[in-house]
Amino acid sequence: DPVIECTDVVRAYTRGGGRGLFSRNTQATTVTAVDSVSATIDRGELVGIAGPSGSGKSTLLHLLAALETPDSGQITITGTDTASLSERGRTRLRREHVGIVFQRFHLLPSLTATQNVALPLIEHGVGKRDRRARAQTLLEAVGLGDRLTHRPATLSGGEQQRVAVARALAGDPDVVIADEPTGELDSAASETVLDILADVATEHAVVVASHDPAAIERMDRVIRLRDGTRDTDGHA
Ligand code: ADP
Ligand code: ADP
């Protein structure tokens, strides 16, 4: 079974329509950020989402992560329709099946690398000793065995992103979703993070939204967006 199945998904945003600063009324405009996109994502795949700025990459990623639900069409994550769940149900679905990596890492500055990775495991009901052991194993796997007690500010950008990848893996998700994971990194650090994501993709599904050509080139398969719709289905 696919990890994520996306069928004719549409997500639109409405802007304006209120009172303008200089005019009495402004016309509401609707932007269809994602327009009838279908895609299937399987375990063992490193899938890119590419396209120019404003083409719908972030919106699609948020839909695939069940952070948002489609206006029409359907997204299933390990067989569950995300729109059938309450907000709490979606939070639980994410906790059990999805790991998320952000462009700007979003680590907690007051916590060590180990504590940052262990944090999501509290919600999984894992005890303190086991949380620490799992966090250390994951940090060793991303090459940070010598940075366990470092706080984010004392780590390089590449090291912080590797901590974020380890954190995303803490709950053993089916899919890791990364939004511009190399956007803040130099090319050497990007390369390391992409190596790790490729390795993660041997056992999980990994989806990476990016406009970094070096990142897109590393993907097994690329979903190209243009004005919210799928362009040609390219192979990197
Ligand atoms: P990308 O990630 O490729 O830059 P986005 O998904 O961020 O594209 O945006 C796609 C389109 O949807 C853009 O026109 C953007 O302005 C619009 N959009 C995205 N999010 C919102 C939002 N929360 N409210 C209004 N418009 C949005
Ligand atoms: P940026 O670098 O532009 O801040 P990020 O990659 O850090 O972008 O974040 C991408 C998007 O995810 C942002 O729109 C942000 O609002 C959202 N986001 C950040 N942290 C969380 C979170 N913990 N849960 C849900 N959404 C988040």
Side-chain angles (χ1 to χ4, degrees), residues 28-96:
T29 55
T30 299
V31 177
T32 307
V34 170
D35 192 356
S36 202
V37 169
S38 297
T40 299
I41 291 157
D42 289 304
R43 191 177 295 276
E45 282 195 301
L46 180 61
V47 179
I49 300 177
S53 191
S55 61
K57 299 184 298 297
S58 290
T59 302
L60 180 58
L61 217 63
H62 287 195
L63 290 163
L64 297 178
L67 289 164
E68 290 187 40
T69 52
D71 297 321
S72 67
Q74 182 175 277
I75 293 186
T76 63
I77 299 179
T78 62
T80 302
D81 180 355
T82 62
S84 74
L85 301 172
S86 63
E87 184 106 31
R88 272 179 64 177
R90 288 206 310 279
T91 301
R92 189 176 319 119
L93 183 77
R94 275 200 302 280
R95 187 184 299 156
E96 286 170 11

Side-chain angles (χ1 to χ4, degrees), residues 5-150:
E5 181 108 65
C6 186
T7 313
D8 298 328
V9 165
V10 177
R11 181 74 169 100
Y13 296 104
T14 303
R15 263 201 222 113
R19 231 169 244 282
L21 200 52
F22 302 108
S23 61
R24 227 161 244 146
N25 285 296
T26 57
Q27 196 72 35
T29 55
T30 299
V31 177
T32 307
V34 170
D35 192 356
S36 202
V37 169
S38 297
T40 299
I41 291 157
D42 289 304
R43 191 177 295 276
E45 282 195 301
L46 180 61
V47 179
I49 300 177
S53 191
S55 61
K57 299 184 298 297
S58 290
T59 302
L60 180 58
L61 217 63
H62 287 195
L63 290 163
L64 297 178
L67 289 164
E68 290 187 40
T69 52
D71 297 321
S72 67
Q74 182 175 277
I75 293 186
T76 63
I77 299 179
T78 62
T80 302
D81 180 355
T82 62
S84 74
L85 301 172
S86 63
E87 184 106 31
R88 272 179 64 177
R90 288 206 310 279
T91 301
R92 189 176 319 119
L93 183 77
R94 275 200 302 280
R95 187 184 299 156
E96 286 170 11
H97 300 289
V98 182
I100 306 182
V101 174
F102 300 99
Q103 179 171 352
R104 292 183 217 274
F105 327 131
H106 291 284
L107 300 174
L108 292 178
S110 63
L111 302 184
T112 66
T114 301
Q115 289 167 338
N116 266 286
V117 176
L119 193 62
L121 290 172
I122 293 174
E123 291 175 330
H124 288 258
V126 179
K128 189 168 181 170
R129 284 177 88 86
D130 290 340
R131 287 203 301 272
R132 193 191 305 133
R134 172 141 180 84
Q136 292 185 357
T137 301
L138 286 164
L139 285 166
E140 280 157 15
V142 299
L144 295 176
D146 57 348
R147 296 284 190 273
L148 299 177
T149 59
H150 283 57

